[in-house]
Amino acid sequence: MRVLLIEDDLEIARRLCAAFEDAGFAVDHASDGETGWELGETRTYDAAILDLGLPGVPGLDLLARWRRAGRNLPVLVLTARGAWTERVAGLNAGADDYLTKPFHAPEVLARVRALIRRSAAHSSPVLRYRDITLDVGAGTVALGGATLDLTARELKILARLMRRPGHIVSQDELADQIYPQGEARDSNTIEVFIARLRKKLGRDAIRTVRGLGYKLE
């Protein structure tokens, strides 16, 4: 899964990036509102963590722009502003949840996971498609009850496909799940991971839609 963190406090950003990456997330970080807006417009994310007190475009304005543009990704707002009126303003602008600084990184992680589950209409972190079961929280996969040994990147790619069963998922969208922002991408990497997944799940489990991407069969 991939999250967008928009936070101008570099120490807070460092702690949150470390916590989410340790939990198996890919994280893109922006330290100002304009960069956050551009990333949110050009990349696919499972959730965003948004500070309100940003340089450039303020957090509330950025959130309102996302919602006007039809961007429905779950958003957790972080702010040092503790007044109830600020919390109401954030929720009215389209935030899905709210945390006031200071906070503990594990709570941010737990809240974001809950937002992602709710947005995907899952009451638990367990994804199922036919005889494949993926427990996102535990990082385990079973095929017909037999546990499979998948790497972290294979898990991320499979999770994205399982969250969109029957739909084509582009190679770029899958790459967004495994590459941090700014890291060089090898155009053949996704094909390699898809080939590995087919060996473990069955050669017909994932279909290639030429020129468009991949889908679960």
Side-chain angles (χ1 to χ4, degrees), residues 15-27 109 113 156:
R15 289 193 291 112
L16 288 177
C17 284
F20 275 83
E21 288 168 357
D22 287 346
F25 285 78
V27 184
L109 178 60
R113 278 176 165 160
K156 291 176 182 179

Side-chain angles (χ1 to χ4, degrees), residues 106-122:
E107 182 178 5
V108 179
L109 178 60
R111 285 179 180 252
V112 167
R113 278 176 165 160
L115 289 178
I116 292 172
R117 290 198 299 270
R118 291 202 295 270
S119 71
H122 294 292

Side-chain angles (χ1 to χ4, degrees), residues 161-176:
L161 291 169
M162 290 184 69
R163 290 188 187 279
R164 299 184 60 190
H167 292 80
I168 298 171
V169 182
S170 71
Q171 192 173 87
D172 285 343
E173 185 174 342
L174 293 176
D176 281 347

Side-chain angles (χ1 to χ4, degrees), residues 87-103:
R87 294 195 293 273
V88 169
L91 294 171
N92 284 340
D96 297 278
D97 200 358
Y98 203 108
L99 267 180
T100 302
K101 300 175 183 178
F103 52 76

Side-chain angles (χ1 to χ4, degrees), residues 28 39 77 123 161 189 204:
D28 288 349
L39 288 173
V77 162
S123 58
L161 291 169
T189 299
D204 297 325

